Amino acid sequence: MDEKTLMGLLGTLEKGELITLIGFMIKLGGPAKQVAEDYCRKNAKLRDGAQDVEEEFRQHWKNAQPTVEMFNTCGGGSKSDEDDIREELKAMEGLLGKQGISWTVRKEVLDEMLEEVASDNSGLTDVLVDLAVKMCRTKEERIYLADFLADYGNSFYKNFAAAIYAENGKEGSADGTGKTGASGTAQSRGKAPEAGAGQKPTSASEYVALANQYKKQGDAERAFRTAIDGLANVEGRLFEIYDYLFRYYVTGKDEAALVDLYRTARTKKQDRDFLTELLYGYYKEQGNYENQKKMLSDLFSCADARKLTKWYHTGQKELTAADFAAEEGKILSTIKERNLSAYFDICMEKGNTEEILDYLKNNRKFQKDGVDAGHRFSKQLAAGYPKEVLAVYWREVDHYAEIGDEESCRHAVEVLREIHEIMEQNSWTDEWNERYNDFIRDSISNPLLIGELAKF
């Protein structure tokens, strides 16, 4: 039977018969396998164009996210980088007008975006929330967004969440009063009242803007009192007020006030890491080793978890050998509790691979964005522990194949490629062929998986 006839035959079969025959042809290998793969590739192109739109939507966020994260870490960035971010977000907004972006994909991107919103230090929070609102189409999706903003948003967005609840028939408000202060858009946030206008500030940026206006008018005492009032009244982010008061006290060489400010930050917890890092730098510059050491120790408990590896190396470099040796166990314990990935990075540096391998072998939660995201650790361990890593990878393949949706099937086959590469490197060809053929046999009932295997 020639190839054209075979292709025609495949096109006449019912879905169940087609899956069985394709699986059988792939297992046969040779020309039969080639025809089956060609058929799957040809028909994959006929799928709904929504997949392409979804991938493009994801890609625009992937382009923007690292720079947004950097902005959050550094408190902003260059104008050209900001323009690039806005361009990517605008493209995402344009794609939302097209049909076919599922809630699964929108939620995946939304969750990552809201992590950056929670940090609220990029200068782009309003733009991100505006886009997040447009990503949520149904009542349930809008409530999902409101729940996040109510829990993690600043004071403005807690009120905004209350407005979303009201619009969608859910009782409650962010401040427990039943009143909302949001206009329904993020664009109204961040405008500082003019001095003497009688409008009470609500955010740290508004208090600092007002304090700077009083200072410009020559009223230093009123400027200082305004910043102190902001520290007492603001419920959300405080880093701008901490920065203002820190510089004020340093200029006035008021060491006692700096200590009191630090105690306030520890009590309030909000942006404690920002002030602690400022004080760490200040005491280092002053040559006050004991206070520098104290601030560094506190940073391991309160700093952005993504920066813990950096602070570990800072401690190695700037503490005395005796002090670091005495503190290292406690430091590592804190890092392990707060950021397991950072802890494992340090373990890799120290050659403590057994603990990482033990975690991977016993982990039953396969998350693409988890501790071993992108197989960052298992890839490093594969050369020294190929059998152990392969066992982890086969479990992961089975896990995603069992889920069975298109994205999971695609991921399962990506892991299969890694398995194949490791087994080839170790010349385990016969074992690979046996395991792979068994996997194909078990996958016949899933056309999505068979289609992805045809691209293998």
Side-chain angles (χ1 to χ4, degrees):
M1 187 180 295
D2 61 25
E3 182 176 337
K4 183 177 180 181
T5 305
L6 266 174
M7 294 287 274
L9 175 61
L10 288 171
T12 65
L13 296 175
E14 293 293 326
K15 185 176 180 180
E17 296 170 326
L18 177 63
I19 294 167
T20 302
L21 182 56
I22 287 176
F24 179 70
M25 290 170 70
I26 290 173
K27 191 171 182 179
L28 278 177
K33 178 183 177 184
Q34 186 62 52
V35 170
E37 289 177 350
D38 289 345
Y39 180 85
C40 287
R41 287 192 189 96
K42 178 181 177 183
N43 284 275
K45 295 176 183 177
L46 302 178
R47 292 175 188 161
D48 190 341
Q51 181 182 342
D52 293 334
V53 175
E54 289 180 340
E55 285 305 313
E56 188 179 351
F57 187 77
R58 277 196 188 100
Q59 190 57 52
H60 283 301
W61 172 242
K62 286 178 183 176
N63 294 344
Q65 193 272 337
T67 315
V68 175
E69 182 177 340
M70 181 191 73
F71 273 41
N72 265 321
T73 301
C74 303
S78 70
K79 180 67 166 61
S80 61
D81 282 344
E82 181 176 336
D83 288 343
D84 290 343
I85 292 170
R86 289 178 180 273
E87 201 62 38
E88 298 291 349
L89 299 181
K90 185 178 179 182
M92 292 171 67
E93 184 178 346
L95 290 172
L96 287 171
K98 299 182 180 181
Q99 295 297 317
I101 303 182
S102 66
W103 172 236
T104 300
V105 173
R106 283 182 285 122
K107 181 178 178 296
E108 174 189 319
V109 173
L110 180 66
D111 287 345
E112 293 182 9
M113 188 181 295
L114 291 177
E115 286 184 24
E116 307 301 338
V117 168
S119 296
D120 194 22
N121 194 35
S122 65
L124 294 165
T125 300
D126 293 345
V127 181
L128 293 173
V129 174
D130 283 342
L131 180 58
V133 170
K134 290 167 185 167
M135 288 167 65
C136 299
R137 295 170 177 167
T138 67
K139 173 182 175 180
E140 291 73 21
E141 291 167 11
R142 289 190 287 272
I143 293 294
Y144 180 88
L145 172 61
D147 286 343
F148 181 95
L149 295 176
D151 287 339
Y152 300 104
N154 58 36
S155 57
F156 176 88
Y157 284 121
K158 289 182 187 298
N159 283 332
F160 185 44
I164 296 175
Y165 288 145
E167 289 168 6
N168 290 275
K170 181 175 178 179
E171 292 185 0
S173 67
D175 59 7
T177 65
K179 300 175 183 179
T180 65
S183 62
T185 173
Q187 297 299 331
S188 61
R189 177 177 175 262
K191 296 178 181 177
E194 295 183 6
Q199 182 180 349
K200 187 176 178 62
T202 57
S203 69
S205 60
E206 289 175 357
Y207 272 101
V208 169
L210 188 56
N212 283 329
Q213 286 180 40
Y214 289 135
K215 186 177 179 181
K216 194 173 181 181
Q217 293 168 4
D219 195 343
E221 178 61 25
R222 194 171 185 186
F224 171 69
R225 295 312 314 170
T226 298
I228 291 295
D229 287 346
L231 185 59
N233 295 325
V234 171
E235 296 178 2
R237 300 301 302 268
L238 292 165
F239 71 92
E240 289 158 303
I241 293 175
Y242 284 143
D243 183 60
Y244 185 94
L245 291 172
F246 171 80
R247 288 185 286 107
Y248 180 88
Y249 294 140
V250 167
T251 301
K253 298 182 180 179
D254 193 338
E255 296 282 335
L258 285 172
V259 172
D260 285 342
L261 188 62
Y262 172 65
R263 287 175 182 151
T264 299
R266 284 179 64 87
T267 301
K268 284 182 170 288
K269 294 184 172 59
Q270 182 73 54
D271 293 317
R272 167 183 159 195
D273 59 326
F274 178 82
L275 181 63
T276 306
E277 188 170 348
L278 285 179
L279 288 167
Y280 168 81
Y282 171 73
Y283 288 129
K284 178 183 175 182
E285 187 178 303
Q286 296 294 309
N288 188 334
Y289 175 76
E290 288 304 317
N291 278 345
Q292 176 191 349
K293 182 173 72 170
K294 181 181 177 182
M295 293 303 110
L296 179 60
S297 177
D298 195 31
L299 278 167
F300 287 108
S301 299
C302 68
D304 185 331
R306 294 168 295 185
K307 296 181 179 180
L308 289 175
T309 306
K310 181 198 87 168
W311 287 117
Y312 174 83
H313 293 141
T314 298
Q316 272 184 320
K317 191 165 56 176
E318 298 187 2
L319 296 182
T320 65
D323 280 345
F324 185 74
E327 294 290 327
E328 186 179 19
K330 180 182 175 183
I331 289 169
L332 288 174
S333 178
T334 302
I335 293 174
K336 182 177 181 179
E337 183 180 338
R338 296 193 62 216
N339 186 339
L340 192 57
S341 293
Y343 174 73
F344 282 164
D345 281 331
I346 296 168
C347 286
M348 290 297 297
E349 292 175 15
K350 295 167 69 70
N352 181 16
T353 55
E354 291 80 5
E355 186 171 356
I356 305 172
L357 187 64
D358 187 58
Y359 170 85
L360 295 174
K361 286 163 64 176
N362 291 289
N363 179 45
R364 291 296 184 271
K365 294 180 180 178
F366 294 102
Q367 297 172 309
K368 285 178 255 182
D369 59 348
V371 171
D372 196 34
H375 293 158
R376 56 181 295 199
F377 296 113
S378 48
K379 282 179 179 177
Q380 296 178 71
L381 295 171
Y385 305 93
K387 288 285 187 184
E388 291 85 349
V389 170
L390 284 171
V392 172
Y393 281 3
W394 278 115
R395 281 207 322 271
E396 185 173 358
V397 168
D398 291 340
H399 171 79
Y400 282 101
E402 187 176 344
I403 293 174
D405 61 36
E406 189 167 12
E407 185 177 346
S408 297
C409 291
R410 190 180 303 119
H411 181 73
V413 174
E414 287 171 1
V415 180
L416 271 177
R417 289 191 180 94
E418 294 186 49
I419 291 173
H420 186 219
E421 183 178 343
I422 294 171
M423 298 187 85
E424 272 197 334
Q425 289 169 352
N426 289 276
S427 302
W428 295 331
T429 306
D430 291 343
E431 184 181 346
W432 161 254
N433 288 335
E434 182 179 347
R435 291 291 299 268
Y436 182 61
N437 287 334
D438 287 344
F439 182 76
I440 290 173
R441 185 193 63 235
D442 295 339
S443 304
I444 287 174
S445 61
N446 187 339
L448 295 174
L449 188 52
I450 291 295
E452 291 298 326
L453 284 168
K455 307 170 191 175
F456 186 77

